[in-house]
């Protein structure tokens, strides 16, 4: 119809049941709203254990997808992160951690993949500060 305006009001959201397993503090099934993302679910589950991997989060749905949460948390890229009823999120464990400190903007312990370069790690740490001597830094990364 021409010149018709429609208003839609949601009276109630249907909750979905999803499961989170693996290296999280509180694994189990959760009843969440349909706008819940993987990052929200990981937060509801109490966060990751110290050995939990943010770089290999598996979403088992109609198919199996692997998410690198650094794409979302550090690079700001978003993919299909909303969950559907019956989804299972599995957080793998890892021991691939590196400490980045000194004259970087965000010193911390970061998870790395074997394909990451020193430049990738500097990106995680939000690069050098303005006081850094970029020609003189120690690289113990292998």
């Amino acid at each position: 119809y021409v010149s018709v305006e429609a208003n839609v009001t949601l009276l109630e959201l249907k909750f979905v049941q999803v499961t989170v397993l693996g290296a999280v503090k509180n694994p189990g099934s959760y009843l969440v709203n349909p706008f819940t993302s993987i990052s929200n679910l990981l937060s509801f589950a109490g966060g990751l254990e110290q050995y939990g991997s943010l770089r290999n989060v598996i979403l088992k749905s109609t198919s199996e997808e692997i998410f690198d949460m650094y794409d979302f948390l550090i690079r700001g890229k978003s993919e299909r992160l909303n969950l559907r009823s019956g989804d299972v999120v599995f957080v793998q464990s890892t021991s691939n951690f590196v400490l980045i400190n000194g004259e970087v903007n965000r010193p911390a312990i970061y998870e790395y993949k074997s394909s990451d370069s020193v430049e990738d790690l500097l990106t995680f740490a939000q690069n050098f500060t303005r006081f850094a001597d970029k020609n003189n830094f120690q690289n113990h990364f292998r």
Side-chain angles (χ1 to χ4, degrees):
Y1 299 103
V2 178
S3 299
V4 173
E5 286 186 34
N7 293 316
V8 177
T9 303
L10 293 175
L11 296 175
E12 186 178 338
L13 290 175
K14 182 180 177 186
F15 286 90
V16 295
Q17 184 168 2
V18 295
T19 304
V20 62
L21 300 170
V24 293
K25 294 189 190 260
N26 300 306
S29 291
Y30 291 84
L31 215 56
V32 297
N33 75 52
F35 302 111
T36 300
S37 67
I38 291 175
S39 60
N40 296 136
L41 182 62
L42 295 177
S43 178
F44 296 157
L48 274 60
E49 294 286 0
Q50 288 182 340
Y51 53 87
S53 172
L54 279 172
R55 308 288 309 271
N56 292 299
V57 176
I58 299 173
L59 173 61
K60 296 181 180 188
S61 189
T62 54
S63 62
E64 189 171 296
E65 299 175 66
I66 297 177
F67 287 93
D68 184 343
M69 295 303 292
Y70 275 27
D71 286 342
F72 173 67
L73 298 170
I74 294 176
R75 296 182 182 103
K77 297 178 185 176
S78 63
E79 297 178 25
R80 185 186 89 75
L81 297 176
N82 286 17
L83 300 168
R84 299 181 191 131
S85 193
D87 283 355
V88 175
V89 174
F90 183 78
V91 177
Q92 296 187 41
S93 62
T94 187
S95 60
N96 294 342
F97 296 104
V98 62
L99 171 64
I100 301 176
N101 63 3
E103 291 297 329
V104 291
N105 289 303
R106 191 168 49 188
I109 297 173
Y110 294 94
E111 181 181 351
Y112 67 90
K113 291 182 175 181
S114 59
S115 60
D116 287 334
S117 66
V118 172
E119 289 77 22
D120 293 327
L121 297 175
L122 284 170
T123 299
F124 301 162
Q126 297 293 300
N127 223 323
F128 292 111
T129 66
R130 62 185 173 151
F131 304 110
D133 180 358
K134 296 174 187 171
N135 298 318
N136 185 21
F137 69 93
Q138 294 178 351
N139 173 7
H140 299 289
F141 182 66
R142 294 183 179 99

